[in-house]
Structures are given as structure tokens and as C-alpha cells.
């Protein structure tokens, strides 16, 4: 069989995680309309009769403002070495700007590069054409493909292109594997996804989730988790008036857990303040951000 590793990189919010989930037809990576949703490199494993492809979803590359941001950029950029191909995802509905130039400056690719112009459903034809021309000039050897991940448009074509770059190789993960991450990671991410979706712009980036307890019983899943914020004002926002927001987060997160485990979910959420955790190497490590 053919096999290999493929990194998915790009600026925040361009649809990298949506593309990964579409490629492997499973929800491995959380997706929200907020920038910097993905914080870790997450592997999603695709397999069919011809090939096993290990995709690496990565945090959006951005100008960092804290240690966590620097760690996120580093892991995204590091994912491009030692892989069979790199997919650079671009939001085709946005004009080429400073953030794109920053990424182009940081990016060094020494393997086949596939550029996905995503969100084609939101773009006008001339927008698509001019961005395509620009990227073709920047990366003359790259293959460029238009896509709408949300509508699953051109997902199969992207798979075909990727396979054309793979060679015969071993099955890196056992048959049936979906990801390299364990259940605790997915629980943390599902809760974080709900926190991000329930809150407005400035707060979410400052939040981490730590799973304190996880028990899988025959008919139930029991989870206790901490939502970590970096100042008292954020704790008040997360809790909301009379606890309304944390309650809403809890209800949605419980639903997500029930969907994932097909069992009744019992979820306790607590909010803890850890001052400036985004710049504290010890706390970053504790919350899983090396
Ligand atoms: N209209 C449209 N929206 C899309 C498409 N693909 C993704 N989105 C939306 O774009 C937003 C960001 O998607 P993500 O997959 O989280 O983006 P990302 O690149 O992984 O973002 P980060 O993890 O923050 O770097 C979500 O609201 C998605 O639903 C698409 O093809 N069309
Ligand atoms: Mg993402």
C-alpha cells in the first residue's frame, strides 16, 4: 500500500480543521468561527484500499503575542518537515494581506506543496483568479486546488492529488485508527470548543481546559473539568449572569460527550484563575502545550 504523512497548514480560521475532518470523514479536530481554535498538532488517519495517509492538522500561523502563540506557530511550522506533502490552506474570500505575507515569509517547504483555496462558496470568480495567480507566482511548482470544505466540494480531488505524491510504504497506524490522541484530549477539546462558541472575541484565546476526572462506565461517561482563565474578569464572563453562561456551556458540552461516547454524560465544570498562564512555561506544560 501507499502511505505517508501530510501536514495541513495555514493562517488561523481558514478551514484547516474542517478540511481534515472532511478528508477523514470523522470529527478529529474542533472547528469554530474563532481564530486560533486549534492549538496542537493533531493527527487524523485516513485509510482506504490504496493508501494510509496520516494528516497533521496544525494551529493557524499568526504573529504571536504570548508564549502559547509562539509554541503554536513553532509546532505548525515544524510539521512541514519530514512529511510527503504539505497542504497550505488559504481563505479565498479574503484578500492577500500582511498575515499571508508573514506566513509566506516563515514557510520553508522542501516537499510537494498543494495549495487549497478554501471557502470558494464565499468568493467571487475574479477574487479566486487573482489569488490563484498570486500563489502560483509565489510557488511556481505548487498544485493549486479550489475547495469548499464545508460543502465537501473537491475533497475527493484533493485526496487524489495527495495520493499521487505517496510511495509504497508501511501502515504507520493500526487499521481502524482515527487519531494519535487519547480520549482525555478529545474531551478537553470538545469542552473548549463549546467555551469558544459561547464566548465573544477577546476571551476565548485566554482559556484552557483541564480534565480532572474521566470515567467510562457501562452506561455513562463521567467527567470533571476545569476551565482555566487568566484573570478574575474573565472568570465572571465565563460564569455569566447568575451562572447562565457556564450552564449553557455545560449543556452543549454534555451533548457533545453523549454524541461521542453514545452514553449518558455527567459533566461538572469548574472555573479556575491561573494568572498569565499563557506566558508561564510550567502551566503551559501542565495544560498540554509543550
Ligand atoms: N463558508 C465556508 N466556511 C468554511 C469553510 N471551511 C471552513 N469554514 C468555516 O471557517 C471557520 C473556521 O474553520 P476551522 O476549520 O476551525 O479553521 P482553522 O483553519 O482550523 O482555524 P484555526 O484552528 O483557528 O487555525 C468555521 O466557522 C468553519 O465552519 C468553507 O469551505 N466555506
Ligand atoms: Mg483548526
Amino acid at each position: 500500500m501507499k502511505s505517508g504523512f501530510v501536514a495541513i497548514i495555514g493562517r488561523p480560521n481558514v478551514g484547516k480543521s474542517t478540511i481534515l475532518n472532511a478528508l477523514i470523514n470523522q470529527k478529529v479536530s474542533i472547528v469554530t468561527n474563532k481564530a486560533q481554535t486549534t492549538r496542537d498538532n493533531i493527527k487524523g488517519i485516513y485509510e482506504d484500499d490504496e493508501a494510509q495517509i496520516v494528516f497533521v492538522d496544525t494551529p493557524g500561523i499568526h504573529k504571536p503575542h504570548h508564549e502559547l502563540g509562539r509554541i503554536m506557530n513553532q509546532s505548525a511550522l515544524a510539521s512541514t518537515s519530514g512529511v510527503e506533502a504539505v497542504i497550505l490552506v488559504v481563505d479565498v474570500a479574503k484578500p492577500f494581506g500582511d498575515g499571508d505575507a508573514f506566513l509566506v515569509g516563515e514557510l520553508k517547504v522542501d516537499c510537494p506543496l498543494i495549495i487549497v483555496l478554501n471557502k470558494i462558496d464565499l468568493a467571487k470568480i475574479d477574487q479566486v483568479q487573482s489569488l490563484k495567480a498570486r500563489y502560483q507566482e509565489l510557488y511556481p511548482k505548487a498544485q493549486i486546488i479550489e475547495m469548499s470544505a464545508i460543502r465537501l466540494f473537491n475533497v475527493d480531488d484533493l485526496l487524489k492529488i495527495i495520493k499521487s505524491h505517496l510511495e509504497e510504504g508501511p501502515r504507520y497506524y493500526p487499521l481502524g485508527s482515527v487519531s494519535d490522541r487519547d480520549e482525555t484530549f478529545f474531551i478537553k477539546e470538545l469542552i473548549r470548543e463549546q467555551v469558544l462558541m459561547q464566548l465573544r472575541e477577546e476571551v476565548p484565546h485566554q482559556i484552557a481546559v483541564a480534565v480532572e476526572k474521566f470515567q467510562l462506565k457501562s452506561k455513562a461517561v463521567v467527567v470533571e473539568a476545569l476551565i482555566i482563565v487568566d484573570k478574575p474578569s474573565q472568570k465572571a464572563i465565563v460564569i455569566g449572569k447568575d451562572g447562565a453562561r457556564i450552564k449553557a456551556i455545560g449543556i452543549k458540552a454534555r451533548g457533545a460527550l453523549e454524541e461521542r461516547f453514545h452514553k449518558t454524560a455527567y459533566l461538572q465544570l469548574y472555573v479556575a484563575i491561573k494568572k498569565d498562564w499563557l506566558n508561564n512555561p510550567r502551566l503551559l506544560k501542565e495544560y498540554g502545550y509543550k
Side-chain angles (χ1 to χ4, degrees):
M1 80 183 321
K2 288 180 164 189
S3 67
F5 288 76
V6 176
I8 307 174
I9 62 154
R11 293 184 58 200
N13 214 40
V14 294
K16 299 177 296 299
S17 301
T18 310
I19 291 174
L20 171 73
N21 293 343
L23 283 165
I24 65 172
N25 199 21
Q26 296 256 6
K27 182 168 166 179
V28 163
S29 243
I30 60 168
V31 169
T32 80
N33 59 0
K34 308 283 190 317
Q36 294 165 37
T37 295
T38 306
R39 281 183 180 160
D40 310 79
N41 287 0
I42 302 166
K43 293 194 179 84
I45 297 138
Y46 172 92
E47 181 159 342
D48 64 14
D49 297 343
E50 295 171 339
Q52 183 181 70
I53 312 169
V54 182
F55 290 103
V56 189
D57 186 18
T58 62
I61 297 166
H62 62 288
K63 287 182 191 151
H65 301 295
H66 42 61
E67 186 55 22
L68 175 61
R70 275 183 285 278
I71 292 173
M72 285 161 58
N73 274 359
Q74 261 170 23
S75 53
L77 291 165
S79 75
T80 61
S81 58
V83 291
E84 273 62 39
V86 168
I87 301 174
L88 169 62
V89 184
V90 175
D91 181 345
V92 75
K94 299 242 170 76
F96 190 96
D98 288 352
D100 300 284
F102 176 78
L103 192 161
V104 168
E106 298 281 304
L107 188 59
K108 308 276 174 288
V109 177
D110 53 13
C111 64
L113 177 65
I114 303 157
I115 299 176
V116 171
L117 303 179
N118 189 36
K119 306 200 186 184
I120 193 123
D121 55 295
L122 299 178
K124 299 204 180 75
I125 291 175
D126 51 343
Q127 258 179 313
V128 178
Q129 292 313 331
S130 72
L131 211 58
K132 199 173 195 171
R134 179 140 200 176
Y135 275 98
Q136 202 70 83
E137 205 182 313
L138 281 166
Y139 300 102
K141 285 197 245 157
Q143 280 165 290
I144 303 185
I145 178 170
E146 295 161 21
M147 172 173 270
S148 170
I150 220 166
R151 298 200 181 160
L152 302 178
F153 172 73
N154 264 355
V155 174
D156 289 346
D157 284 17
L158 177 59
L159 269 173
K160 258 188 227 148
I161 295 177
I162 294 162
K163 283 182 188 174
S164 75
H165 294 295
L166 300 181
E167 289 179 5
E168 292 295 311
R171 179 182 269 136
Y172 290 100
Y173 285 85
L175 185 64
S177 306
V178 174
S179 177
D180 61 329
R181 298 293 189 154
D182 62 14
E183 290 301 354
T184 319
F185 177 83
F186 290 111
I187 293 170
K188 172 186 99 163
E189 290 294 271
L190 288 176
I191 297 170
R192 204 164 60 78
E193 183 175 44
Q194 291 309 325
V195 178
L196 288 172
M197 298 219 275
Q198 301 288 330
L199 297 179
R200 273 182 260 282
E201 283 308 323
E202 63 300 347
V203 187
H205 300 172
Q206 323 292 345
I207 278 172
V209 171
V211 175
E212 303 274 280
K213 180 178 171 183
F214 166 47
Q215 280 181 335
L216 211 49
K217 300 186 172 173
S218 60
K219 290 191 175 152
V221 52
V222 182
V223 173
E224 281 178 24
L226 270 180
I227 298 173
I228 293 128
V229 297
D230 82 338
K231 15 177 144 53
S233 59
Q234 293 193 349
K235 180 171 178 176
I237 293 171
V238 171
I239 290 173
K241 194 166 181 290
D242 300 326
R245 191 170 276 130
I246 186 102
K247 192 171 169 199
I249 293 168
I251 290 169
K252 295 275 190 186
R254 204 167 62 226
L257 291 174
E258 293 191 339
E259 203 174 305
R260 180 169 184 92
F261 291 98
H262 306 289
K263 292 175 195 281
T264 307
Y266 297 95
L267 173 64
Q268 283 290 343
L269 291 176
Y270 305 92
V271 185
I273 303 165
K274 299 279 177 180
K275 209 165 164 289
D276 205 26
W277 69 267
L278 295 99
N279 285 307
N280 181 324
R282 186 183 59 78
L283 289 175
L284 284 166
K285 203 167 173 197
E286 189 177 326
Y287 303 143
Y289 307 113
K290 272 160 258 145

